[in-house]
Structure formats: C-alpha cells, structure tokens
C-alpha cells in the first residue's frame, strides 16, 4: 500500500499557496491584484450556488437520487471507444469554433507570430532565413536576426508543427486536433488507472475547461507539450500493466518519442515529465529484466527527436546546448536564481511568490466557476485516503511543475498560468476526486449537495457572462481583445490586387524605437526598459546621430545612444497611451520638429508589425520575398530600402479606424529621395 504522506503534503502546500493568497501577502497585494475582488465574488456567488445545492438536496432528495443514478448510467452507457470518440470530437469542434470566435484563426501573441514566421522559413527548405541588411525594418522581439541567421527564438518543434498545419490547410488547425488527441489519451490513461466514472468525468471536465479550450484554440506551443505528456502517460499505464517482453518495449518507444517530441517544443516541460515518469519506471522495474530493456529502448527512442533539436541548435545558435532564447537574450534568460533580463534579482523568495501566484490564478482560470478551483483540488487531494501509485505520480507531476517554474524568472500568462498548462490534466483529476468526499460524509443532504455542486458551477459559469469568473465572459474577452491583430491581411491583399509590392506598416513611435534599439544589439527587455525610461525625442535623436558617427562595436554604439538619451533628463511615461504605444518624455522639455513629426505620424493610425512578419514569404535566396513584402515604416529612413526593393511598387498600410471602415488599406507611396 502506498503512503499517503506525499498527497497530504501537497494538499497542505497547495492550500497554503493557492487558497491562502501567499503571493499577495509577500507582495503587498501586487502579485494578483484582482484576488480580493474574486474572493468577494466567490463568497457571494459561491454561497448562493452552495445554498441552492443544499436546498435542492432537501426539497427533492428522491429526485436527486434518481437523477444521479440515471446520470451515472447515461455516462457509462457508451462503450469506451464510443465515449472516447464523442468527447474528443466535442473538444475538437469546440476548439475549432473558438479558434475563429476568439482569434479569427490568427496568431494572437508575438510568440505565435514569431513561430509562424519560422514555420514559413522551414517550408522554404531552410532552418534559418538570411537577415536583411537593415533589420530594423523587419525585426520583432522574439526573433534572432544576427550572424547571418534569422529565425525565431523558440525550439524547432513548435514552428515545425505550425509548418505541418500550413501543409494541412492552415496553422490554426493544429492545436484543436492536438486538444482532441489530449482528451482521448487522458481518458485512456485514467480508464486504465482509476475507475471508469472518474476517467469519464475527468475527460469531460478537462474538455470543458476554458483554460484548455482557449489554449486549444490558440497557436501557442503549450498545447503540443500537453498532448505529448498525456500520450506518454497513457502509454505508461499500458507499460505498467504488461508482463510480456515485447509489449513494454512497444509502449516504451511511444513514451520515449512523446517526451522527445515534447523536448523539441518545450524542453523544460519535457525534462520535468521525463524525470517524473523515469522515477516511476525505475521503481516499477525492480526485479523485472524485460522492463529494464524496455527503458533502454525508451531512452533510445527519445534520443532521436532530441538529437534533431540539438542539431538544429548547432545550425542556428552555433551550439547544440544553446537555445534561441538564450542566444537572443543572454544567460540572464536561463532557469535559476540570478539577475534576470529585466535587471531584477530572481530569488527563492520571489520564486515562491511566483509559484503561489500561479496556483492562485489557477483558482480562477481553470474552470471559471463561482467557487475557486484550488478549493476543489485541495479537497480532492485531502479525500485520497489510500493513494495508488498513479495518484502519487500525478501529485509528483504537479509538484514538479510548480517547483521548476518557481525557479524560472518570468511570470507567464495566457489563458491562465500557462507554465502549469502541461500539468492541467492532473489538476482536473484531483478536482474530480473531491467528489469522493461524499463517501466520508454520513449526512444525506450534504452528500447530495456535493453531487449537485459541480453541475451547478458549470451552469453558472457558462450561462452567466458577468462577474470575475465566467467561462462565457472569458471567451468574449478574448474575442474583443487586440482586434487589430485579427485583421485578415491576406484578404486585403487579394482585394487590392497587389503585385510586386513593398508595403510599409506604421507600428507606432514606441515600436520604431524598439526596433532600432534591437538592431544595435539591445535585448528585447533592455530595449523596453530604455524606451519606457528615456525621453523618446532624445532617444530618437541619439539613434539618428549614431548613423553618422564612426562605426564601433554594437555594444559601444548602444552605450553611446543610452548615454546621449539619459543626458536629456528624467523622463516620465505619457499618460493615456496604450502599453504598446507608451513613450516617455522629460516634463517641461521642448520637442524638436522631428520629434513632433514622429508623434503626429501615429495620429493616422498604428498597427503592430508582428502579424505582417508572420505572413512574410521566404524567397529562393533565403531572404524575404514573394509577391508582397511588408516592412516597418521608418519615415525618411525608408530610402535605405531603395536598392533592395526599388523595383517594387511602394505602399503604406492604412489600419482600419473601426470595424465598419472599408476604405482601401494600401495607399500608394512615393519613395523618398536620397
């Protein structure tokens, strides 16, 4: 019999970090600023939902028992294969619909856009493109464009999957398909390791999780990592059951390949899963020689995709063990407690605060229920009185993800605490196990109320769009956010019938400054700090002056620009501007005519450049090409592109003022003279 101590410890730690707002206590409420509002709502709406559950349990006890019995029978009526097919197709359909409802089938974040650009490079037959002579017209924060190579900072597996999506029809198809696979494999894993009811309820709740659905509708690389994880877990369950020599070997190949592919997408996630599964297998292989042989086969199978990853690293960053994000941002980007790229010290205390913040956010974003998800998760952990080895495996997976990402300096968010996404199936499983609390309760009313609580929470979450926690409201929020990024640029190009065109895109003054600073070698993080803390007029003048000065190394040039800009005085961010347009000005300073012109240019409309890079084609020479080339509009500096693109027709892109704006998007543009 397995010891319950690890599960008990995880329950206590989860309660201390996810139910109690530890992150806010350590940061004076800054870590999760919406927490107090959410707690008030959970207390009110949660009390109402719980009261309704108790009231129904009192007034309709016989009816509740009848409905519960019928619901259980209905849940178990389909065969295992039929249920797996139905729930997977439901998840696939929902994700496909949400891919258009929330994101219009377009990449939504700079991460997705950079990987889409890298996917187009791969489809051209290259691992990396050839950088342009003037990269400030084309660079974005998550791309490396130095030393004769141009590629995204992300491991090759993510762009490769997007490239496969392009071959299938479009990139937005990939993650919905992977979500369907994940639901199917999660059910197979749990059906083999728990009872059938728990397996089916967990699969349904996972498929209905807003966090899972939004991630499945996106083009983020967390979805492939999760799919690989549950494929490996399902194979592990079969590996564990088998006593036949050949069968463990077959399943070990699946485990190895799944973890290896995961490493090409999210290496840290793969390392976590590999360690947890590896320890499990080593314990189970004691005294069983065929399993030791199968583990060796598993390592060999996993080494194949890992070898491809290391080979690609060597061809791009120059070293097999140097990843793109470290090559681009420096060693400060790596895992561990050290000075981070933002210039802040990442300490164990800060790591504890991040870990607590992730669990606190999971309370809201996992289910968007009127009661916090972590309350169910902690209750589920506490309800496990005699944990199986699979309970311990999933508990170890949860603990390992929380601990590992506590050691990583960045506070990642998309559709929830995204760094914990690969462990979401385990969190959902423990939430479902909270239903077993009714076995410990003798009061019939409370037992019936516990059964009613989850369906009532689901109904409130999906029917009511108001409040802090609402699945329906969350989907609408993603639909209404960042609408410019959902512009159908391809359709605009077709309607305008552009031929052999160069289109300049006005990203905004902040974007122009960031691009020029990155060209001088500033990391994305350093460039952001400079633009947010230095006078935009002085920074622009220093960059212009650098063009006419004697060339030095990139670091010397950047230091010279920074020194000249800081000499203008202490700057403050201009109020009323969005985050992607924010600039700083020295109070009381007199702007130059050039500075005023830069500011006025943005009044005609701005749009981020990354969506246009994501559409860029790669020519036979490895440089940007195709029928339409998109470049960042840098005003008078555009003349620098005359030699490279002078034979094309030049246009300026005019962003739509609103959804009803149907005026032409491409305005003919006369190239500037030297």
């Amino acid at each position: 019999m397995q010891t319950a101590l690890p599960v008990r410890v995880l329950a206590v730690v989860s309660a201390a970090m996810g139910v109690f707002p530890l992150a806010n206590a350590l940061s004076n409420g800054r870590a999760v600023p919406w927490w107090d509002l959410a707690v008030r709502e959970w207390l009110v709406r949660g009390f109402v939902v719980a009261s309704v559950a108790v009231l129904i349990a009192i007034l309709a006890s016989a009816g509740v028992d009848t409905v519960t019995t019928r619901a259980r029978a209905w849940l178990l009526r389909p065969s295992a294969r039929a249920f797996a097919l139905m729930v997977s197709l439901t998840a696939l359909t929902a994700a496909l619909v949400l891919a258009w409802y929330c994101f219009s089938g377009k990449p939504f974040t700079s991460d997705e856009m950079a990987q889409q650009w890298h996917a187009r490079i791969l489809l051209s037959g290259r691992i990396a493109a050839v950088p342009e002579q003037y990269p400030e017209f084309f660079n974005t924060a998550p791309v490396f464009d130095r030393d004769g190579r141009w590629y995204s900072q992300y491991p090759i597996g993510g762009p490769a999957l997007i490239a496969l999506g392009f071959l299938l029809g479009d990139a937005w198809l990939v993650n919905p398909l992977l979500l369907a696979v994940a639901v199917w494999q999660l059910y197979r894993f749990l059906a083999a390791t728990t009872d059938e009811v728990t397996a089916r309820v967990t699969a349904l709740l996972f498929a209905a999780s807003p966090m899972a659905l939004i991630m499945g509708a996106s083009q983020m690389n967390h979805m492939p990592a999760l799919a690989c994880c549950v494929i490996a877990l399902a194979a592990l369950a079969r590996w564990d059951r088998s006593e036949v020599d050949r069968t463990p070997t077959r399943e070990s190949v699946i485990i190895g390949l799944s973890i290896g592919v995961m490493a090409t997408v999210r290496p840290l996630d793969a390392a976590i899963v590999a360690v947890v599964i590896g320890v499990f297998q080593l314990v189970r292989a004691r005294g069983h020689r065929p399993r030791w042989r199968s583990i060796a086969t598993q390592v060999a199978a996993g080494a194949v995709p890992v070898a491809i990853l290391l080979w690609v690293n060597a061809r791009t960053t120059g070293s097999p063990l140097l990843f793109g994000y470290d090559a681009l941002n420096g060693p400060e980007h790596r895992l561990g407690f050290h000075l981070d790229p933002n210039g802040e010290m990442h300490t164990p205390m800060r790591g504890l605060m991040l870990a607590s913040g992730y669990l606190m956010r999971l309370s809201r974003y996992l289910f968007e229920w009127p009661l916090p998800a972590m309350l169910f998760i902690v209750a589920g952990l506490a309800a496990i009185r005699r944990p199986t080895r699979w309970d311990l495996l999933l508990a170890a997976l949860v603990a390992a993800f929380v601990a590992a990402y506590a050691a990583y300096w960045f506070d990642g968010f998309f559709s929830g605490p995204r760094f914990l996404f690969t462990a979401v199936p385990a969190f959902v499983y423990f939430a479902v196990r909270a239903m077993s609390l009714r076995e410990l309760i003798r009061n019939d009313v409370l037992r019936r109320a516990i059964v009613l609580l989850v369906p009532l929470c689901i109904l409130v979450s999906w029917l009511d769009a108001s409040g802090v926690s609402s699945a329906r409201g969350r989907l609408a929020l993603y639909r209404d956010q960042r609408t410019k990024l959902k512009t159908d640029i391809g359709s605009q190009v077709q309607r305008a019938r552009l031929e052999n065109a160069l289109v300049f895109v006005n990203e905004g003054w902040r974007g122009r400054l960031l691009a020029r600073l990155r060209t001088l070698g500033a990391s994305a993080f350093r460039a952001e700090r400079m633009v947010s803390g230095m006078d935009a007029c002085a920074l622009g003048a220093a960059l212009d002056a650098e063009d006419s000065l004697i060339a030095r190394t990139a670091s010397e040039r950047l230091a010279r620009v920074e020194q000249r800009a800081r000499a203008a005085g202490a700057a403050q961010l201009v109020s009323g501007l969005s985050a992607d347009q924010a600039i700083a000005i020295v109070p009381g300073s007199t702007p130059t005519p050039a500075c005023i012109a830069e500011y006025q240019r943005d009044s005609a409309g701005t749009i981020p450049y990354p969506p246009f890079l994501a559409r860029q084609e790669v020519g036979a020479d490895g440089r940007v090409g195709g029928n339409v080339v998109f470049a960042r509009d840098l005003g008078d500096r555009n003349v620098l592109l005359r030699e490279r693109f002078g034979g094309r027709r030049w246009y300026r892109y005019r962003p739509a003022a609103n959804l009803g704006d149907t005026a032409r998007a491409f305005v003919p543009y006369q190239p500037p003279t030297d």
Side-chain angles (χ1 to χ4, degrees), residues 177-188:
L177 289 169
L178 290 175
L179 176 63
V181 170
V183 171
W184 168 41
Q185 292 297 303
L186 176 61
Y187 166 66
R188 292 191 69 186

Side-chain angles (χ1 to χ4, degrees), residues 127-423:
I127 295 174
V130 178
E132 292 296 316
Q133 181 180 1
Y134 301 103
E136 62 266 35
F137 289 94
F138 303 95
N139 70 25
T140 62
V143 299
F144 184 100
D145 54 358
R146 303 193 294 268
D147 304 328
R149 296 182 292 273
W150 190 6
Y151 53 93
S152 78
Q153 68 174 359
Y154 304 99
I156 195 64
L161 285 170
I162 293 175
L164 178 61
F166 280 132
L167 294 176
L168 293 174
D170 211 333
W172 63 273
L173 296 171
V174 174
N175 275 2
L177 289 169
L178 290 175
L179 176 63
V181 170
V183 171
W184 168 41
Q185 292 297 303
L186 176 61
Y187 166 66
R188 292 191 69 186
F189 166 65
L190 293 176
T193 58
T194 66
D195 62 274
E196 191 68 23
V197 172
T198 299
R200 297 193 179 197
V201 172
T202 303
L204 287 170
L205 277 187
F206 174 73
S209 164
M211 187 174 176
L213 288 173
I214 292 171
M215 194 70 81
S218 76
Q219 297 176 31
M220 297 287 282
N221 64 10
H222 299 267
M223 192 68 246
L226 182 144
C228 288
C229 176
V230 290
I231 290 172
L233 289 175
L236 180 66
R238 297 191 298 274
W239 177 92
D240 184 70
R241 289 200 316 269
S242 176
E243 298 295 337
V244 182
D245 186 8
R246 295 177 59 185
T247 303
T249 301
R250 183 182 66 243
E251 303 307 333
S252 66
V253 169
I254 297 174
I255 297 170
L257 287 176
S258 298
I259 296 175
V261 171
M262 196 192 318
T264 70
V265 179
R266 297 193 62 81
L268 179 55
D269 288 23
I272 296 169
V273 174
V275 169
V276 172
I277 287 180
V279 170
F280 179 93
Q281 289 181 300
L282 291 176
V283 172
R284 296 292 292 164
R286 287 181 300 182
H288 196 291
R289 184 173 296 178
R291 283 182 173 167
W292 283 106
R293 291 198 297 267
S294 72
I295 291 174
T297 303
Q298 177 177 311
V299 172
V304 174
V306 171
I308 296 173
L309 171 66
L310 299 181
W311 177 79
V312 171
N313 283 350
R315 294 291 302 273
T316 51
T317 68
S319 171
L321 299 179
L322 180 62
F323 289 90
Y325 27 72
D326 294 331
L328 182 63
N329 301 303
E332 297 86 359
H333 192 278
R334 295 173 183 166
L335 186 74
F337 300 108
H338 50 65
L339 194 69
D340 70 21
N342 289 316
E344 300 178 6
M345 185 60 67
H346 183 54
T347 63
M349 184 61 71
R350 185 169 180 268
L352 178 64
M353 184 180 71
L354 289 179
S356 173
Y358 294 150
L359 294 177
M360 290 166 64
R361 292 184 183 97
L362 202 66
S363 279
R364 176 181 177 184
Y365 295 106
L366 181 59
F367 296 130
E368 298 282 359
W369 286 353
L371 287 168
M374 283 304 300
L375 201 61
F376 288 87
I377 293 166
V378 170
L381 288 165
I384 299 175
R385 304 180 69 184
R386 297 181 178 86
T388 67
R389 58 181 175 275
W390 302 106
D391 293 326
L392 296 178
L393 174 77
L394 294 177
L397 193 69
V398 165
F401 266 90
V402 173
Y405 277 105
Y408 185 54
W409 58 273
F410 188 69
D411 190 359
F413 181 89
F414 179 87
S415 181
R418 62 185 176 94
F419 290 152
L420 300 186
F421 184 71
T422 303

Side-chain angles (χ1 to χ4, degrees), residues 509 512 591-603 636:
W509 195 2
R512 297 192 291 273
T592 64
C595 182
I596 295 174
E598 289 282 358
Y599 186 80
Q600 290 177 338
R601 277 181 57 194
D602 292 355
S603 62
D636 292 342

